[in-house]
Each structure stands twice: as C-alpha cells, then as structure tokens.
C-alpha cells in the first residue's frame, strides 16, 4: 500500500487529538472555563513550536520568505485553530469525547470530500466519485452506529 507510513502517522494523529481533547477538556472543567483552557493549551503549543523552530537552524532561511506571504495566511489558520480547539473543549464535557469526535469526524469527512473535489485552499484535486461517496457515507454511518 502506497504511503502506508503516512497513513499510520495520520492514525496516530487521530489518537493524539482524542488524548489532547480529553485532557484539555478536563482542564477546562477544573478551571470552569474552556476559554482559559484553550488559551493555556495554545500558549504551550506556540511555545513548543517556537522552541523547535529556533533549535532547527535550517528553518532560519525560511524567515526571509515571510515578507512574501499574504497577511491572511498568518492569522486565519490560527483563528480557525483557536475556534476549533475552544469549541472542542467546550463541547466534550457536555456530550462526551466519543460523540464529539464522531460528529467532528463526520464534518471533517464531508468537508474534506468537497474541498479535495474542488481543490479548495490549494489542495490536490481528488474528484468525488461514487466509490468515494460510498466510502464517506459508510464511515459516517459507522461513526453514528458507534454512538447509538
């Protein structure tokens, strides 16, 4: 299977998302504030990212390219990350991690199918075929069956 190592890595990322969502939702419950939990989580993430950037010397050459990047690319991804994370931490304690992930995954599957079909955001075009629609549908049905 082509790119098996990347698929395994993506599977592992899914596990990390559930772990971090669960832990940070607990933080939000203990603080009684999902917004503070989100802010703390993102602060730690940003600090770690900056540390890794500074330690990897080859990344310094990239800093010269910053001037050529459109301004919205600097902020929009961060805004969307914050909204997704803060919403995740707010929703998890109310409906549970499994339900949150199930519906979140369903939204990801549908939107990913559309975004890749049209090549939105510079993504490689992957046309929606009947086979792909059936695969996405089966995954969503499977996710919903897990929750029933």
């Amino acid at each position: 299977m082509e790119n098996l190592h990347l698929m395994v890595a993506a599977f592992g990322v899914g596990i990390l998302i559930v772990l971090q969502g669960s832990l940070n939702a607990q933080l939000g419950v203990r603080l009684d504030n999902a917004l503070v939990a989100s802010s703390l989580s993102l602060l730690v993430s940003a600090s770690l990212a900056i540390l890794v950037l500074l330690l990897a010397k080859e990344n310094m050459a990239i800093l010269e390219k910053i001037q050529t990047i459109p301004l919205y690319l600097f902020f929009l991804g961060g805004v969307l990350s914050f909204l997704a994370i803060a919403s995740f931490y707010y929703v998890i304690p109310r409906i549970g991690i499994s339900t949150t992930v199930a519906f979140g995954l369903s939204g990801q599957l549908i939107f990913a199918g559309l975004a890749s079909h049209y090549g939105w955001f510079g993504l490689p075009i992957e046309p929606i075929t009947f086979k792909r629609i059936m695969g996405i549908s089966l995954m969503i049905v499977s996710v919903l069956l897990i929750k029933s």
Side-chain angles (χ1 to χ4, degrees), residues 33-39 42 79-94:
N33 193 321
L35 185 58
V36 172
S38 300
S39 299
L42 290 168
V79 168
L80 294 175
S81 292
F82 171 76
L83 289 174
I85 289 169
S87 299
F88 211 50
Y89 300 162
Y90 178 80
V91 172
I92 289 170
R94 288 160 178 79

Side-chain angles (χ1 to χ4, degrees), residues 21-96:
S22 299
L23 295 170
N24 287 318
Q26 285 180 40
L27 178 62
V29 167
R30 289 179 183 223
L31 293 171
D32 197 28
N33 193 321
L35 185 58
V36 172
S38 300
S39 299
L40 290 171
S41 174
L42 290 168
L43 180 63
V44 170
S45 295
S47 299
L48 184 58
I50 290 168
L51 178 65
V52 170
L53 176 68
L54 293 174
L55 292 176
K57 303 257 188 260
E58 68 271 3
N59 288 331
M60 292 304 149
I62 294 171
L63 296 177
E64 296 174 6
K65 296 181 182 180
I66 287 178
Q67 296 173 354
T68 65
I69 307 297
L71 193 58
Y72 74 92
L73 287 179
F74 283 108
F75 297 103
L76 192 53
V79 168
L80 294 175
S81 292
F82 171 76
L83 289 174
I85 289 169
S87 299
F88 211 50
Y89 300 162
Y90 178 80
V91 172
I92 289 170
R94 288 160 178 79
I95 64 173

